[in-house]
């Protein structure tokens, strides 16, 4: 099982749509989880951390299910500017570096 | 916010030459820096962890003699790709952790093309 697996995508949605991305991780001892956003040919940028209780930041909601080793990201009212690749990220087993999923590409159209 | 720079942003070189990439934390001190590599349509892969004043820790499958890492100060880490070959063409990204812990901040990346 890969360390971090994500929906293959791509997701093509109209403006205003709600879209959800899923991610599973293999290391049950992982403590820290993140969603990063990567625009084409750019470096990843932290979108939000994922907490056990779930957290929301504007139109973005992240959920963590430790029992299923599953993380989700929900984007409401999609904007054109949300078009990017969303990376699910977990700290490695040693807790020293980030392990990235392959990413899910989102394309929002008008 | 924390800023990390990389230089050069893009480099094209002939096969067999060595290329040095610099990663700098501009407004904070970083005891730990990480080097990642990303091939097209692939995830970022951790290559090595660089700690100031000590030898880098390389991930399995990454040749330490080919990818030389030096972290001589709290604000600078360098990655040298020695005797580069076309298969080394990739997007190399560094990240830095602020001294005392916290989030990782990424540099803008360096695109390497080896002809």
């Amino acid at each position: 099982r890969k360390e971090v697996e994500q929906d293959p995508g791509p997701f093509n949605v109209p403006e205003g749509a709600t879209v959800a991305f899923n991610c599973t991780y293999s290391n049950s001892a992982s403590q820290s989880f993140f969603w990063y956003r990567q625009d084409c040919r750019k470096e990843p940028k932290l979108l939000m951390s994922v907490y056990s209780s779930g957290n929301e930041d504007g139109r973005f909601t992240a959920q963590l299910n430790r029992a299923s080793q599953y993380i989700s990201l929900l984007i409401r009212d999609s904007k054109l500017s949300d078009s990017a690749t969303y990376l699910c990220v977990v700290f490695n087993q040693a807790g020293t570096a980030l392990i990235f999923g392959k990413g899910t590409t989102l394309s929002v159209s008008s | 916010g924390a800023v990390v720079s990389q230089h050069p942003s893009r480099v094209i070189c002939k096969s067999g030459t060595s290329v040095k990439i610099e990663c700098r934390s501009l407004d904070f001190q970083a005891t730990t820096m990480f080097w990642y590599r990303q091939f097209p349509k692939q995830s970022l892969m951790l290559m090595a962890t660089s700690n100031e004043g000590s030898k880098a820790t390389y991930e399995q499958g990454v040749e330490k003699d080919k990818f030389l890492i030096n972290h001589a100060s709290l604000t600078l880490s360098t990655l040298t790709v020695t005797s580069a070959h076309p298969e080394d063409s990739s997007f190399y990204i560094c990240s830095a952790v602020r001294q005392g812990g916290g989030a990782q901040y990424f540099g803008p990346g360096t695109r390497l093309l080896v002809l």
Side-chain angles (χ1 to χ4, degrees), chain A residues 14-47:
Chain A
E15 272 186 292
T18 295
V19 61
F21 304 140
N22 303 317
C23 170
T24 57
Y25 59 96
S26 61
N27 181 6
S28 60
S30 298
Q31 295 296 316
S32 301
F33 310 91
F34 309 90
W35 283 100
Y36 275 73
R37 169 191 169 133
Q38 186 173 26
D39 292 285
C40 189
R41 303 176 76 82
K42 300 282 189 182
E43 77 276 22
K45 294 190 176 174
L46 179 64
L47 179 65

Side-chain angles (χ1 to χ4, degrees), chain B residues 36-49:
Chain B
Y36 295 83
R37 181 169 52 181
Q38 186 177 32
F39 293 106
K41 299 188 186 299
Q42 299 294 317
S43 59
L44 270 75
M45 296 297 296
L46 179 64
M47 298 175 68
T49 302

